[in-house]
Amino acid sequence: MALIVVQGGQRLEGTVRAYGAKNAVLPILAATLLPESGASLLEEVPPLSDVHHLRGILHALGLESEDLGDGKLRLDAQHVESTEAPTELVSKLRASFLVMGPLLARFGKARVGMPGGCSIGSRPIDLHIEGFEALGAEVEIHELYIEARAKNGRLQGARIPLRFASVGATQNLMMAAVLAEGKTVIENAAKEPEIVDLANFLNAMGADVRGAGTATLTIHGVDALHGATHAIIPDRIEAGTFLVAGAITGGDVLVEGAQSQHLRPVLEKLREAGAVITEEKNALRIVRSGRLRPLDVTTAVHPGFPTDMQAQMSAMLAITPGTSYVTETVFENRLQHFAELTRMGANVRIDGRTAVITGVTRLQGADVTATDLRAGAAMILAGLVAEGETRIHAIHHIERGYVDVVERFRALGAQLCRTEDVRELQMK
């Protein structure tokens, strides 16, 4: 079983580039099912396992794709005929459920397996289903799959008030509505940058989506879409992770591609903790030389502090003098990484959904587990400042969301390696 081994004590310094956003590219890949004519060209596609997995599902549906190199993918859905996404593939990746909206929109029917993904808490798909039903679909839920069919062969525009500003539901319903007959209004829509990126791609294909980035989306259905060229936005969570890495190690790190407008709540907290952040041309630089200061962090839907940055910030607060508070309001099980930080000597008390963190002078290297994608990143950050060696297990979670994570940290001066054998622990 593969693991990442980190040797602590290194100050990070240098430049790293943020790849295309995982959370933006997956719905956009699903959206390439929509056009009846013309191929789409996607640029800045990160070479992640999740991308590879979703491409496999698209291939099973009949979509043709070609890797052109340098982060470019050509995708052609003109010959897609199947509307059944295989359960055995969908169950491994939660984002696979995003093919339901495009299939329903284009073909008026879809059968998609139950989604899988990280175990970070309840992420119900009832909002997706309620939205599809509002658009005129009849939905049947089976043990292993969900089947939906438009009552009249084509979805109908509707008003859809979301009970929660779900990113996944907003994306799925956006894609379903672009080919629906009439106008659809999605209220309490998610506002994340990845929503805006998807809307931009849909509009490039000939859709009429307005209001992306606000709480109200208005979509006027069109008869057909065509292929388009689109560059994926930089990954704000990956960029944020490297910025925290600079802060936690007292380093000097330049993150190319980092967009300040996508990272405002993270930047505010890092500055509050004592880091100096400057904007450069299409990049952000973080420098931290003084002592860290404690924080009170509460996650929220965008534009609040992102839940996907909570674990990384918590790792930094574990060595921050004083008492910090981290409250998770988005996913109820996203505090599992604190048990792993405790193995390394962190002083943490959990009170409901709030972690009370009393900073310690130093962490100790230990055997820890990446309980989910972002928790795995937090373990790397903790390992960077721990005494001795930290061995991180279940790294498949990390590799779902970070490209060449070991090589990129090493380029900044970190000492870590990836090994397939627990006995091969000597640093390379």
Side-chain angles (χ1 to χ4, degrees), residues 133-150:
E133 290 176 334
L135 291 168
E138 295 177 334
V139 182
E140 295 181 4
I141 303 175
H142 301 270
E143 183 179 358
L144 297 178
Y145 64 91
I146 296 173
E147 195 163 14
R149 184 178 298 270

Side-chain angles (χ1 to χ4, degrees), residues 116-269:
C118 284
S119 299
I120 59 175
S122 176
R123 293 189 283 180
I125 55 176
D126 55 343
L127 295 179
H128 302 240
I129 294 171
E130 290 170 10
F132 293 144
E133 290 176 334
L135 291 168
E138 295 177 334
V139 182
E140 295 181 4
I141 303 175
H142 301 270
E143 183 179 358
L144 297 178
Y145 64 91
I146 296 173
E147 195 163 14
R149 184 178 298 270
K151 294 176 184 177
N152 300 313
R154 183 180 180 184
L155 297 175
Q156 304 295 311
R159 173 180 168 271
I160 307 174
L162 294 177
R163 291 179 283 104
F164 174 76
S166 163
V167 173
T170 301
Q171 292 167 334
N172 227 346
L173 297 176
M174 284 172 65
M175 293 186 284
V178 291
L179 293 177
E181 187 174 1
K183 182 175 78 171
T184 297
V185 177
I186 302 175
E187 299 173 353
N188 195 30
K191 306 172 187 176
E192 275 74 359
E194 294 80 13
I195 298 292
V196 178
D197 206 33
L198 174 60
N200 289 340
F201 179 56
L202 293 172
N203 288 337
M205 293 193 293
D208 186 350
V209 181
R210 306 175 191 180
T214 74
T216 303
L217 285 171
T218 302
I219 304 163
H220 294 272
V222 298
D223 291 333
L225 298 177
H226 53 76
T229 298
H230 181 78
I232 308 299
I233 59 172
D235 195 316
R236 61 193 173 103
I237 304 304
E238 185 178 83
T241 300
F242 282 111
L243 290 172
V244 175
I248 196 173
T249 63
D252 182 348
V253 175
L254 180 73
V255 185
E256 294 180 337
Q259 304 292 314
S260 61
Q261 67 269 30
H262 295 170
L263 285 162
R264 285 196 181 100
V266 175
L267 301 183
E268 288 172 2
K269 288 300 178 181

Side-chain angles (χ1 to χ4, degrees), residues 1-325:
M1 188 68 72
L3 66 157
I4 291 175
V5 184
V6 186
Q7 191 70 40
Q10 306 303 312
R11 176 179 184 269
L12 299 194
E13 186 174 356
T15 300
V16 64
R17 182 174 72 90
Y19 277 82
K22 177 184 85 76
N23 291 337
V25 72
L26 297 178
I28 286 174
L29 280 172
T32 62
L33 287 166
L34 288 163
E36 294 182 9
S37 62
S40 293
L41 175 65
L42 299 184
E43 301 173 345
E44 301 299 331
V45 177
L48 295 167
S49 59
D50 276 10
V51 171
H52 176 76
H53 189 83
L54 186 51
R55 283 182 67 193
I57 294 171
L58 297 178
H59 291 165
L61 292 168
L63 182 143
E64 299 173 359
S65 72
E66 180 183 3
D67 190 338
L68 303 177
D70 196 28
K72 297 179 180 179
L73 283 181
R74 181 182 182 275
L75 303 108
D76 190 341
Q78 294 180 78
H79 303 297
V80 170
E81 294 182 355
S82 174
T83 58
E84 297 186 12
T87 299
E88 63 274 15
L89 295 179
V90 176
S91 62
K92 298 177 181 178
L93 176 64
R94 185 170 188 82
S96 303
F97 192 66
L98 291 174
V99 303
M100 175 70 88
L103 290 175
L104 257 180
R106 181 174 169 185
F107 300 103
K109 60 180 181 178
R111 177 172 168 172
V112 179
M114 287 291 185
C118 284
S119 299
I120 59 175
S122 176
R123 293 189 283 180
I125 55 176
D126 55 343
L127 295 179
H128 302 240
I129 294 171
E130 290 170 10
F132 293 144
E133 290 176 334
L135 291 168
E138 295 177 334
V139 182
E140 295 181 4
I141 303 175
H142 301 270
E143 183 179 358
L144 297 178
Y145 64 91
I146 296 173
E147 195 163 14
R149 184 178 298 270
K151 294 176 184 177
N152 300 313
R154 183 180 180 184
L155 297 175
Q156 304 295 311
R159 173 180 168 271
I160 307 174
L162 294 177
R163 291 179 283 104
F164 174 76
S166 163
V167 173
T170 301
Q171 292 167 334
N172 227 346
L173 297 176
M174 284 172 65
M175 293 186 284
V178 291
L179 293 177
E181 187 174 1
K183 182 175 78 171
T184 297
V185 177
I186 302 175
E187 299 173 353
N188 195 30
K191 306 172 187 176
E192 275 74 359
E194 294 80 13
I195 298 292
V196 178
D197 206 33
L198 174 60
N200 289 340
F201 179 56
L202 293 172
N203 288 337
M205 293 193 293
D208 186 350
V209 181
R210 306 175 191 180
T214 74
T216 303
L217 285 171
T218 302
I219 304 163
H220 294 272
V222 298
D223 291 333
L225 298 177
H226 53 76
T229 298
H230 181 78
I232 308 299
I233 59 172
D235 195 316
R236 61 193 173 103
I237 304 304
E238 185 178 83
T241 300
F242 282 111
L243 290 172
V244 175
I248 196 173
T249 63
D252 182 348
V253 175
L254 180 73
V255 185
E256 294 180 337
Q259 304 292 314
S260 61
Q261 67 269 30
H262 295 170
L263 285 162
R264 285 196 181 100
V266 175
L267 301 183
E268 288 172 2
K269 288 300 178 181
L270 286 171
R271 288 183 172 120
E272 187 180 336
V276 176
I277 301 170
T278 55
E279 293 189 41
E280 302 192 9
K281 185 178 180 180
N282 196 36
L284 291 173
R285 180 186 181 191
I286 188 165
V287 179
R288 202 272 292 176
S289 56
R291 292 180 63 184
L292 289 165
R293 296 192 288 266
L295 299 174
D296 189 342
V297 178
T298 299
T299 65
V301 296
H302 192 78
F305 191 92
T307 179
D308 280 354
M309 283 300 303
Q310 181 258 107
Q312 301 92 306
M313 192 67 77
S314 298
M316 185 186 80
L317 296 176
I319 61 160
T320 299
T323 301
S324 296
Y325 301 87

Side-chain angles (χ1 to χ4, degrees), residues 353-414:
R353 285 195 172 191
T354 297
V356 182
I357 309 170
T358 302
V360 296
T361 304
R362 62 181 61 86
L363 297 174
Q364 298 292 328
D367 277 272
V368 293
T369 299
T371 54
D372 64 64
L373 167 56
R374 307 307 173 183
M379 293 305 103
I380 293 178
L381 299 183
L384 291 174
V385 293
E387 286 191 347
E389 189 174 83
T390 299
R391 307 174 188 180
I392 306 170
H393 301 262
I395 64 171
H396 61 281
H397 287 304
I398 303 173
E399 294 173 340
R400 283 184 48 238
Y402 293 91
V403 179
D404 298 329
V405 65
V406 168
E407 291 77 8
R408 293 162 78 199
F409 270 109
R410 290 178 68 168
L412 294 173

